[in-house]
Amino acid sequence: MNPLQLDFKDKSAVVTGGSNGIGLAISRALAGSGASVSIFDLPAEKPAEAARALGGRGFEVDVTDWKTIDRAFAAAGDPSIVVVNAGIGETSPFCETSADLWNRTIAVNLAGAFHTMQAAGQCMKRGKGGAIVVVASTNSFDGEANLAAYNASKAGLLGLIHTAANELGQYGIRVNGVCPGLIRTRLTAGHFADPAILSGYFRHIPLGRGGEPEEVARTVAFLASDLASYITGATIFVDGGQMASKFGVWTEAEADFDGQRWIRKG
Ligand code: NAI
């Protein structure tokens, strides 16, 4: 076999929030490379149905209710790959952000992620190690107006990744993160439906476009695989270069926006 090929044969994986968007793409990528995948998601998102299409199993989990996480790990068996992906993102001006929005966002994106990582660590310590991959965000690093709770939750994930990597390395457990930019999912459907928003947004992205869930999934699969055997405590941007761009690169003088991406003239 090509030594650079991803191979998850005999591996079992858990993906939280795996019924939709980026999580579903990750579940498909892992299952497509041989992993047996368990999707943990809210009952309304029908995780069993989503998983069945991949030959996997689904478990009804609300990550804000830690008992449901523990029950699902006990039923799924000890995985060697856990992808911490479940998340929500609601906008509100900084000064008007309610206690309810703040608490809900932290409960899903940060506390839910924390307990999923704890449970994953416990399973992997019992087994022969493993890989935890956390879906953070470019917003883990920089600000975006009207997303105080989301940004704080995603910044907090970096603290969890770094701390868990320190503690779990000795057990053969690697802990890494991906930081997606704007990716086409239901969370961002409003953005992708409006070319006026996109042209301004993508002006600041060297690759001139938004990302697809599969592009994040491939990076997660790499970090989860033995190809990343010497990587832990790291985060990788999957953002078309957005975080490397200070002033933006695309101008009407040299390029046209076709509704979805910037393309050089001529
Ligand atoms: P999505 O809304 O399509 O998927 C989120 C999934 O998380 C859904 O299946 C949802 O049911 C699940 N979920 C939400 N609350 C849950 C809870 N309490 N318990 C269990 N599952 C729960 O959104 P998308 O875009 O696929 O987001 C996935 C992750 O990627 C999130 O953590 C998000 O913050 C992150 N992300 C997304 C970006 C984007 O541009 N779409 C950019 C950067 C990060």
Side-chain angles (χ1 to χ4, degrees):
M1 195 190 74
N2 175 349
L4 296 182
Q5 206 167 310
L6 294 182
D7 180 13
F8 295 115
K9 214 162 5 85
D10 306 324
K11 304 257 185 196
S12 66
V14 163
V15 182
T16 68
S19 293
N20 295 285
I22 293 171
L24 181 58
I26 292 167
S27 301
R28 282 192 183 124
L30 296 177
S33 303
S36 92
V37 173
S38 295
I39 290 178
F40 290 6
D41 212 317
L42 295 169
E45 304 300 330
K46 301 194 168 53
E49 218 171 272
R52 203 173 308 123
L54 314 171
R57 290 184 298 160
F59 298 89
E60 296 188 350
V61 170
D62 179 342
V63 297
T64 67
D65 178 354
W66 290 12
K67 286 190 303 295
T68 67
I69 300 176
D70 295 335
R71 270 204 298 269
F73 271 102
D78 289 352
S80 58
I81 297 168
V82 172
V83 182
V84 183
N85 164 78
I88 55 173
E90 287 172 43
T91 56
S92 171
F94 192 93
C95 293
E96 279 83 59
T97 296
S98 66
D100 178 55
L101 191 153
W102 173 266
N103 290 334
R104 202 154 19 96
T105 306
I106 298 298
V108 178
N109 293 6
L110 188 56
F114 171 56
H115 192 62
T116 306
M117 293 170 75
Q118 280 188 309
Q122 285 160 6
C123 292
M124 291 173 187
K125 277 164 93 168
R126 280 194 294 269
K128 294 200 192 90
I132 299 172
V133 185
V134 177
V135 180
S137 172
T138 48
N139 293 32
S140 301
F141 289 85
D142 68 0
E144 182 175 344
N146 300 317
L147 279 169
Y150 183 80
N151 295 344
S153 72
K154 291 293 180 179
L157 291 177
L158 300 182
L160 296 182
I161 292 166
H162 298 153
T163 309
N166 268 276
E167 291 190 33
L168 300 180
Q170 61 194 303
Y171 301 101
I173 304 168
R174 297 181 299 101
V175 186
N176 293 293
V178 291
C179 294
L182 192 73
I183 308 298
R184 190 194 308 271
T185 68
R186 65 181 188 177
L187 203 63
T188 55
H191 282 77
F192 279 92
D194 189 341
I197 296 180
L198 292 185
S199 66
Y201 196 119
F202 295 169
R203 196 185 287 287
H204 297 273
I205 296 181
L207 295 184
R209 63 173 177 86
E212 301 298 331
E214 293 72 22
E215 296 182 290
V216 180
R218 287 198 289 270
T219 312
V220 170
F222 163 70
L223 287 171
S225 79
D226 293 341
L227 297 183
S229 53
Y230 199 51
I231 303 179
T232 195
T235 48
I236 300 182
F237 290 123
V238 187
D239 68 346
Q242 183 182 357
M243 294 298 281
S245 175
K246 194 161 186 155
F247 299 115
V249 289
W250 296 93
T251 64
E252 278 78 2
E254 292 178 337
D256 296 311
F257 190 73
D258 77 353
Q260 289 294 308
R261 66 194 301 158
W262 285 95
I263 301 167
R264 278 188 67 80
K265 288 186 201 289

